[in-house]
Amino acid sequence: MNTIKLNNGVEMPILGFGVYKIDNYEECKKACLYAIEAGYRHIDTAAIYMNEKAVGDAIKESGIDRKEMFITTKLWIQDADYDKAKKAFQISMEKLGLDYLDLYLLHMPFGNYYSAWKAMEELYEAGHIKAIGVCNFYKERLIDFVYNHKIMPAINQIETHPFFQRWEDQELMKEYNITLESWAPLAEGSNNIFNNEILKSIGKKYNKTAAQVILRWLTQRNIPIIPKSIHKERIIERRLLNEKTYKKFYFNYFFCINIVLQ
């Protein structure tokens, strides 16, 4: 699995498995097991998704060494406060069944999120978390946040896909050595994206699906991705794009995505 190095030196798999809106326990657990079996080693969940226990149980049942897995969860708005954040972290860890977390994200810039970040910094410094970051921070909010805290976020997880490409956000984050991570990399299937003629024409040339074209375009921008599915064949299909033997697309085809789909 290809990885990307975060600003504190932690290596994170560039391809992860997302579990947003998979709130049925058995369905989520089965999907995670499919993903682990297919070779995924990064799973992204959140307290608000109500499926941390399913994720944790799948990791345990898989038999994969904990050190091989990279697990992300997130602090929700209702717990955006110092004491509440500490408690919410412990609840998440109990549900996941883990003794440390790879990445903990502040889910939204709402509530007393400055105090929540202080709690996250302390958990990080105590070794309970390998890296900390944020989600859904627009440029101005991110800059303000960076200049008012001791520890720089490793990640800003924001909506990024062919219809919302976030080039300016990515350039800004590069200045501060923050990694842009994409949520909804497949645009949640909106605008009939899987039947888009541009994406289909690129895929036809390389015998790839539209979804594979999109995900490869993002990873070649060095953007980590967390596509979601409950279907085994789609989970496997999206895992294959990360193989080192996968032929790179020519720049002119990605230029089509960059310009035409904006």
Side-chain angles (χ1 to χ4, degrees):
M1 177 66 71
N2 294 335
T3 62
I4 191 164
K5 184 175 287 189
L6 304 181
N7 59 18
N8 64 349
V10 167
E11 297 274 352
M12 181 177 82
I14 198 167
L15 173 64
F17 181 68
V19 294
Y20 176 54
K21 290 186 177 179
I22 314 179
D23 52 7
N24 178 277
Y25 173 85
E26 291 297 337
E27 191 172 59
C28 183
K29 180 181 171 184
K30 185 182 294 184
C32 289
L33 286 169
Y34 287 155
I36 294 169
E37 181 183 358
Y40 291 78
R41 292 297 179 264
H42 174 191
I43 301 178
D44 178 285
T45 183
I48 195 62
Y49 299 171
M50 306 295 289
N51 57 19
E52 289 172 312
K53 179 169 173 51
V55 170
D57 288 352
I59 295 167
K60 183 177 180 180
E61 188 173 314
S62 73
I64 297 294
D65 190 322
R66 168 67 182 96
K67 293 179 181 179
E68 293 185 28
M69 298 298 299
F70 189 100
I71 308 302
T72 300
T73 194
K74 310 177 189 78
L75 179 76
W76 187 236
I77 299 166
Q78 67 186 20
D79 296 312
D81 193 57
Y82 179 83
D83 290 331
K84 288 181 178 179
K86 288 285 187 79
K87 184 177 180 180
F89 175 76
Q90 291 304 322
I91 292 172
S92 288
M93 295 299 284
E94 288 170 10
K95 289 180 178 177
L96 288 165
L98 304 177
D99 56 5
Y100 72 90
L101 189 65
D102 297 282
L103 179 63
Y104 199 35
L105 301 178
L106 191 62
H107 209 146
M108 294 275 189
F110 300 131
N112 191 5
Y113 64 94
Y114 270 51
S115 292
W117 186 255
K118 179 175 173 57
M120 291 168 64
E121 287 180 325
E122 291 179 3
L123 290 165
Y124 169 75
E125 290 176 328
H128 301 301
I129 309 168
K130 298 291 185 181
I132 54 177
V134 298
C135 300
N136 304 302
F137 274 58
Y138 278 83
K139 291 179 289 185
E140 295 77 8
R141 189 67 63 94
L142 184 63
I143 293 171
D144 172 77
F145 193 78
V146 163
Y147 280 104
N148 284 285
H149 291 93
K150 177 173 64 174
I151 297 177
M152 186 86 67
I155 288 279
N156 184 18
Q157 189 184 103
I158 59 176
E159 182 180 3
T160 312
H161 49 71
F163 300 131
F164 196 20
Q165 298 186 10
R166 314 304 286 268
W167 289 96
E168 290 184 4
D169 295 86
Q170 187 175 19
E171 286 305 309
L172 175 73
M173 288 183 223
K174 284 180 180 178
E175 290 182 28
Y176 295 96
N177 198 18
I178 298 170
T179 297
L180 187 162
E181 183 177 24
S182 163
W183 65 257
L186 301 174
E188 298 183 323
S190 64
N191 298 322
N192 202 24
I193 194 167
F194 300 122
N195 291 308
N196 182 278
E197 290 303 321
I198 295 172
L199 298 172
K200 287 173 66 177
S201 67
I202 297 171
K204 184 176 181 180
K205 180 175 177 62
Y206 295 98
N207 194 29
K208 304 297 176 183
T209 65
Q212 287 177 312
V213 170
I214 295 166
L215 298 179
R216 188 62 177 185
W217 167 71
L218 286 165
T219 59
Q220 285 185 201
R221 287 176 59 189
N222 290 317
I223 295 177
I225 51 176
I226 46 171
K228 159 222 164 180
S229 180
I230 60 172
H231 303 289
K232 186 174 184 179
E233 65 278 6
R234 292 179 188 171
I235 291 170
I236 294 170
E237 169 198 297
R238 293 161 191 179
R239 166 67 180 93
L240 292 176
L241 71 92
N242 199 243
E243 296 292 341
K244 292 182 179 179
T245 55
Y246 191 106
K247 185 177 179 181
K248 282 193 174 183
F249 295 125
Y250 291 114
F251 173 78
N252 61 320
Y253 283 97
F254 281 97
F255 185 78
C256 290
I257 295 178
N258 299 342
I259 300 301
V260 181
L261 295 186
Q262 290 195 74

